[in-house]
Amino acid sequence: MALRFYNTLTQQVEPFSTRDNVVRMYSCGPTVYNFAHIGNFRSFVFPDMLRRWLRARGFTLNHVMNITDIDDKIIRNANAAGKSINEFTEVYTKAFLEDTAALRIERPEHITPATAHIPEMVEAVEQLTKAGHTYVSDGSVYYRIATFPGYGKLSHNDFSGIRAGARVDNDEYDKDDARDFVLWKAAKEGEPAWDTSIGNGRPGWHIECSAMAMKYLGEQLDIHTGGVDLTFPHHENEIAQAEGISGKQFVRFWLHAEHLSVESQKMSKSLGNIYTLRDIQEKGYTPEALRYLLGSVPYRKKLNFTFDGLKAAMTSIERLRNYELRLKTSHFPEGTNDALETRAQTAVKAFDEAMDDDLNTAEALAAVYEYVRDTNSAMDSGEFKAGNVAGALAFLARFDSIFDVLKPTVKAGSLSDAEVETLIAERTSAKKNKDFARADGIRKELLEQGVILEDTKEGVRWKRA
Ligand code: AMP
Ligand code: ZN
């Protein structure tokens, strides 16, 4: 079956295609008022894996992510910290980019802050006004949602009985109530403001995504992603804005990632269970372990984060790395076992079919582990031949082109060549003394530092990962 996704808009799994080879994709990005937490990262690892899979299926990406660097929370926190908005958001933008890099989340083709798009937002508001969708109250511009009959089509809510004229101008919403939302907020004491043709003020939160998406991707997008909590009102408002301007369907596929809970509880300050990547690393876990854990549960399923789960992720990665090492360093008997070649093809097919099925990453992993188990026992029994290595490595590479966990994160202050050589010499003498535990320990230690050893007839060769 072909590549297909569950579309929140139609509430159905639909085959995915585009009008050309390019996928125009938009992902709601972070609000840079604090360090992103592991829940946020779930909704960013998801579009990363999606990107990678779309590419594996022959598409080219044009992917945009916004960075919300102006909103109520930012203004509140920056004021509390006694910093300007710019000084304040710079810190967390940098942290976000570092963390996403550590998590091997690919940079979208465009990742760009809202405040760099004030003219585009102003223009969008002007177009909405021209089309009769707005009104002004106390110097702020609002979207009158009664003028957009499709309002509610994404969240499948019936808003026909909305209270006309009831409006909200903060960025934090009451989730059950549809109200006219603010597009442009009149300037207030102690808040940043831009002097523009629609007045002195600042943008509301929702307009940035429509304006930026349309600037970089045009009026019609193939995919839009976000966390499930954004469906209403944020994405509903994005549709009202974009379609209110263009009169065309804004997005074909809306993909929403479910939330992450921690030890079965909602993340909250009072429970002290909001973890950042930095917290996780301080506890000794690697970024790739978190990436693996976040990616291992299909994106539409709730994910219950536990430290046991994170430990298990570390072990799973270790197992796969050991398997890769075994493939690369063992001396297998000459020849090719045809049945195992077929087995590798079946594994690739199972992996691909799982990923095509709305990114069923759990099934895809099952295909990997079944194959690893089968081939490990074939290696034990001598049936796995030198000619089977390439097929096995190719399958592992396909898995890793999406999951991207095999390469160890090189710790800061990595080893110098001389230090590597010293450790290798120590390992060789440990082996001579039959201290295999120590020898293995050194190999592992080097691997963690990004150094791969290969035992050859001529001695030990090494390279950096
Ligand atoms: P924010 O930085 O608050 O704008 O949120 C960035 C992204 O994180 C949005 O797509 C949210 O839907 C998502 N998000 C927030 N909390 C969670 C959570 N607990 N689990 C998964 N995603 C979340
Ligand atoms: Zn958005």
Side-chain angles (χ1 to χ4, degrees):
M1 274 227 276
L3 177 60
R4 55 207 184 275
F5 299 121
Y6 180 85
N7 186 352
T8 309
L9 186 64
T10 59
Q11 297 181 300
Q12 272 172 17
V13 176
E14 293 177 61
F16 179 76
S17 63
T18 55
R19 62 186 125 103
D20 51 22
N21 221 31
V22 181
V23 179
R24 292 153 200 84
M25 175 157 131
Y26 188 91
S27 300
C28 291
T31 307
V32 281
Y33 72 106
N34 209 332
F35 292 105
H37 56 62
I38 54 177
N40 299 135
F41 284 125
R42 181 180 198 199
S43 51
F44 299 126
V45 166
F46 156 60
D48 176 64
M49 293 179 86
L50 174 61
R51 273 178 67 92
R52 290 166 182 253
W53 187 246
L54 287 165
R55 230 180 12 238
R57 282 311 198 200
F59 292 99
T60 302
L61 268 299
N62 190 8
H63 182 196
V64 178
M65 184 181 282
N66 65 308
I67 293 180
T68 301
D69 62 345
I70 177 84
D71 91 329
D72 297 349
K73 281 182 286 200
I74 290 173
I75 295 170
R76 198 169 58 213
N77 288 15
N79 283 345
K83 286 193 174 160
S84 76
I85 302 290
N86 278 350
E87 283 170 333
F88 185 77
T89 56
E90 211 171 54
V91 174
Y92 296 112
T93 301
K94 189 165 164 276
F96 177 75
L97 295 175
E98 283 168 7
D99 289 355
T100 46
L103 287 166
R104 303 173 191 187
I105 294 172
E106 291 181 358
R107 285 267 176 109
E109 281 62 33
H110 304 273
I111 174 158
T112 170
T115 54
H117 298 81
I118 301 290
E120 287 85 351
M121 291 191 244
V122 168
E123 197 193 326
V125 175
E126 281 174 335
Q127 284 176 300
L128 285 171
T129 299
K130 219 179 280 162
H133 291 297
T134 70
Y135 61 94
V136 177
S137 172
D138 291 336
S140 294
V141 186
Y142 293 86
Y143 193 112
R144 191 187 301 281
I145 62 178
T147 64
F148 186 73
Y151 199 82
K153 66 182 170 186
L154 180 68
S155 50
H156 302 281
N157 283 323
D158 178 10
F159 292 124
S160 52
I162 48 159
R163 285 182 289 141
R167 57 182 191 270
V168 61
D169 69 357
N170 58 342
D171 293 329
E172 287 153 84
Y173 273 75
D174 175 355
K175 296 270 171 229
D176 304 318
D177 193 7
R179 286 183 273 179
D180 292 346
F181 60 92
V182 70
L183 294 161
W184 187 259
K185 305 186 192 204
K188 264 195 212 145
E189 187 68 34
E191 291 192 354
W194 286 261
D195 201 7
T196 73
S197 56
I198 53 172
N200 189 32
R202 64 176 171 101
W205 168 40
H206 309 290
I207 193 66
E208 69 186 63
C209 290
S210 304
M212 291 162 86
M214 290 167 96
K215 170 173 179 171
Y216 296 104
L217 303 173
E219 291 173 340
Q220 297 192 285
L221 279 51
D222 299 302
I223 298 180
H224 194 312
T225 76
V228 67
D229 59 313
L230 299 185
T231 312
F232 178 79
H234 181 55
H235 290 160
E236 206 70 75
N237 293 353
E238 277 191 41
I239 292 174
Q241 292 165 157
E243 299 189 3
I245 292 169
S246 74
K248 293 182 192 148
Q249 181 175 354
F250 178 40
V251 173
R252 290 173 48 239
F253 280 79
W254 284 94
L255 271 50
H256 288 104
E258 250 304 338
H259 264 196
L260 171 148
S261 53
V262 173
E263 309 279 357
S264 302
Q265 286 175 309
K266 200 175 150 82
M267 274 190 283
S268 80
K269 270 196 193 138
S270 55
L271 289 170
N273 63 358
I274 302 180
Y275 297 109
T276 64
L277 175 62
R278 286 134 208 265
D279 297 332
I280 300 277
Q281 284 181 283
E282 264 167 34
K283 290 179 191 282
Y285 300 97
T286 59
E288 61 268 29
L290 180 61
R291 178 180 169 90
Y292 180 101
L293 179 59
L294 296 178
S296 64
V297 176
Y299 73 96
R300 286 205 302 126
K301 284 221 166 88
K302 284 197 167 51
L303 194 165
N304 181 28
F305 173 90
T306 62
F307 280 98
D308 282 345
L310 195 55
K311 260 181 227 138
M314 295 274 276
T315 309
S316 300
I317 295 173
E318 188 67 29
R319 214 179 128 204
L320 292 172
R321 285 178 183 164
N322 285 336
Y323 175 75
E324 187 184 30
L325 203 68
R326 187 174 190 190
L327 280 171
K328 286 184 173 167
T329 59
S330 306
H331 295 287
F332 298 108
E334 290 300 302
T336 302
N337 179 331
D338 289 337
L340 285 177
E341 282 305 273
T342 310
R343 180 69 190 82
Q345 284 161 17
T346 325
V348 172
K349 194 159 172 273
F351 182 88
D352 288 3
E353 276 177 3
M355 292 301 288
D356 276 348
D357 181 13
D358 199 21
L359 297 193
N360 190 338
T361 48
E363 280 284 323
L365 281 175
V368 173
Y369 287 113
E370 271 168 39
Y371 176 76
V372 168
R373 198 188 50 223
D374 289 356
T375 47
N376 259 329
S377 38
M379 288 178 205
D380 296 342
S381 66
E383 285 162 69
F384 192 96
K385 303 282 162 58
N388 298 117
V389 171
L393 284 175
F395 177 46
L396 214 52
R398 186 159 188 85
F399 149 78
D400 207 41
S401 70
I402 311 301
F403 283 79
D404 203 352
V405 292
L406 291 182
K407 195 165 63 124
T409 295
V410 180
K411 289 178 194 150
S414 61
L415 298 173
S416 67
D417 287 6
E419 285 167 326
V420 173
E421 300 286 353
T422 309
L423 279 167
I424 290 176
E426 200 187 310
R427 174 171 173 266
T428 309
S429 70
K431 268 169 95 177
K432 261 197 204 121
N433 299 330
K434 305 225 178 305
D435 184 357
F436 295 113
R438 177 69 188 135
D440 274 354
I442 292 174
R443 197 194 63 196
K444 233 186 210 165
E445 200 180 319
L446 284 167
L447 189 64
E448 276 164 16
Q449 303 278 352
V451 175
I452 297 166
L453 299 189
E454 196 181 341
D455 290 309
T456 70
K457 283 181 200 127
E458 294 80 41
V460 183
R461 275 207 298 254
W462 67 273
K463 62 174 185 196
R464 295 192 191 270

